Amino acid sequence: MSGLFDGEHYFRIKALAPGRIRFTQGEKFTGVLVPLAILFMGEKIRRGYESMNQAFKQRLEAKG
């Protein structure tokens, strides 16, 4: 339900130098239930992002 808990996930990829990038992802949460959701799900969300980032990094590095 819009307005109660909304999230916008984003990815940014920036070229730094030949063969180097900076990958950033994040989430922007809005709504009246955000504090409650973060309290109960915040750590799980963070671990999921870290896991995805590590897998992405490994795949990119394997391609050399």
Side-chain angles (χ1 to χ4, degrees):
M1 298 179 79
S2 184
L4 294 178
F5 183 84
D6 297 299
E8 177 185 347
H9 197 95
Y10 62 86
F11 301 95
R12 293 185 185 124
I13 301 173
K14 180 180 180 180
L16 299 176
R20 294 194 63 215
I21 65 165
R22 174 172 292 133
F23 173 75
T24 307
Q25 72 165 313
E27 188 95 32
K28 180 181 176 184
F29 295 113
T30 58
V32 296
L33 295 180
V34 169
L36 188 60
I38 296 300
L39 178 65
F40 288 103
M41 297 173 29
E43 184 61 22
K44 184 176 181 179
I45 291 169
R46 185 190 62 76
R47 284 193 314 262
Y49 288 165
E50 288 177 355
S51 178
M52 187 177 95
N53 289 346
Q54 189 61 34
F56 185 55
K57 181 179 188 273
Q58 289 173 350
R59 285 188 180 205
L60 290 174
E61 289 176 343
K63 293 187 181 238

